Amino acid sequence: MLRGNFMKEQSYVNDIFVICYSFLLFNIAFTSILPKVVVNAITLLTFIITMLLAIRTITFIFNDITGLPFMLFLCYILLTALSTHFNKGGFFSTGATSSTINYIMILITIFLGIIIISAFGKLKLFLLVIFFTELVYCLLNDITFLPNYRTFIASQAYLLNGKFQVAYAHLDLLALYFANVYVKNLKVKKKILYALIILALIIDLFVNCITGIVGLILFIIFYFFCSKKILRQPLFWLVVFIICSLVPFIYQYIVDSTFYQNFVIGSLNRGLTMTGRMNIYKAVPYLMYNHWHWGYGYGTSYAVVNGLISMPNMQNGFMDLVVQVGLITTAFFNLFVLAIIKSVRFEKNIITFPFLCLVYVYTVLSSFEITFSITFFFICMIIYVLSRKDIERKNSLNE
């Protein structure tokens, strides 16, 4: 009897810890309404906790940290560090070292963190926590800005930061809802589904984020109309990625196309240079001269693009990576994503499907936006862990 009570109490304590830990991971990986200084403190605290947990659970997580995706992930962060090192002392390298350290620390924390939570057999709880955290954050953001949306549109000072972050958060929320439904073996409730889709669409319209609307449409297409078998083919993702990455190099053909002339300029009333994107793409050879291999160092994108051509960023996910870490490191990023997709087996674990749809959505959006962020890595890492684990299986850490 005493042993039974003790086990229940221990399980309760473990749940409380996982809830708090998942919340911390969410705030450094997905999005946060907390002040930047608080998020930085959370990053350091969560990294320390994760390292201590990794030492404690090393025998349980060993297989997960020796898999091919994790090895490629380690290569990516090592090459990212080398990129910054090789550019040390450069004109645009101010602050690059600290940015790189923070970036690598976050990536290691969230990857190991999800693996550790899996080792505790708490993936269900983890997914539930990040869903409700995202839901609360989105609702707080929407309730705050909708009554005075004109002011917020002018200032872009939303609780979730800029309009893109606001749009992506509502898209992530939709994927997390599907994942939690699958985790509990429930049926999708149409009222909730429609509410989330309509909410996302309304918010995208209010913040004037065409990218968010396109992302929402793409998610619906991938989720409801695309073959699961095709989406889990690494070669298919690679083709999509290559096409999206070629945009800066074939921009003239895009501008001259009938679709662009009729839809983008006619229907969307966008300028011929797509808010300056084409001017940025024309400057790619100038920007990347002598920097194709190793870039300028992580965290230098804004300084480089703004300093050389007076633009905010590269407006393309692939080129943003190349500017920062170069072609060599970007190649390992590609290999990492390919390995993640290869690990997916829907016939065994349908839970990964909403996250895989997000990977494709963000890849397509990378044609004209910066989407290969920490959140993108977080989504890939969730896929990796879920694809390797039977979410119903109880791990020996809890036995």
Side-chain angles (χ1 to χ4, degrees), residues 2-50:
L2 288 175
R3 177 177 173 79
N5 290 335
F6 175 76
M7 293 299 290
K8 287 182 180 179
E9 184 175 331
Q10 185 181 39
S11 177
Y12 176 76
V13 171
N14 287 341
D15 286 349
I16 295 298
F17 170 77
V18 170
I19 290 172
C20 295
Y21 186 59
S22 299
F23 177 77
L24 294 177
L25 288 176
F26 179 92
N27 279 272
I28 65 174
F30 256 130
T31 187
S32 182
I33 62 174
L34 303 175
K36 183 65 176 177
V37 64
V38 176
V39 175
N40 289 338
I42 288 176
T43 299
L44 181 59
L45 172 64
T46 313
F47 176 75
I48 294 172
I49 294 173
T50 302

Side-chain angles (χ1 to χ4, degrees), residues 57-114:
T57 61
I58 188 64
T59 56
F60 298 95
I61 67 174
F62 182 77
N63 289 335
D64 291 317
I65 62 177
T66 54
L68 179 60
F70 194 80
M71 292 296 103
L72 290 170
F73 163 74
L74 291 179
C75 290
Y76 170 78
I77 61 175
L78 174 62
L79 292 171
T80 298
L82 285 175
S83 171
T84 299
H85 174 72
F86 291 152
N87 286 282
K88 191 175 182 180
F91 184 77
F92 299 105
S93 63
T94 303
T97 299
S98 59
S99 295
T100 303
I101 292 173
N102 187 64
Y103 178 63
I104 292 175
M105 191 163 60
I106 291 174
L107 291 185
I108 292 175
T109 300
I110 59 182
F111 209 161
L112 287 179
I114 301 171

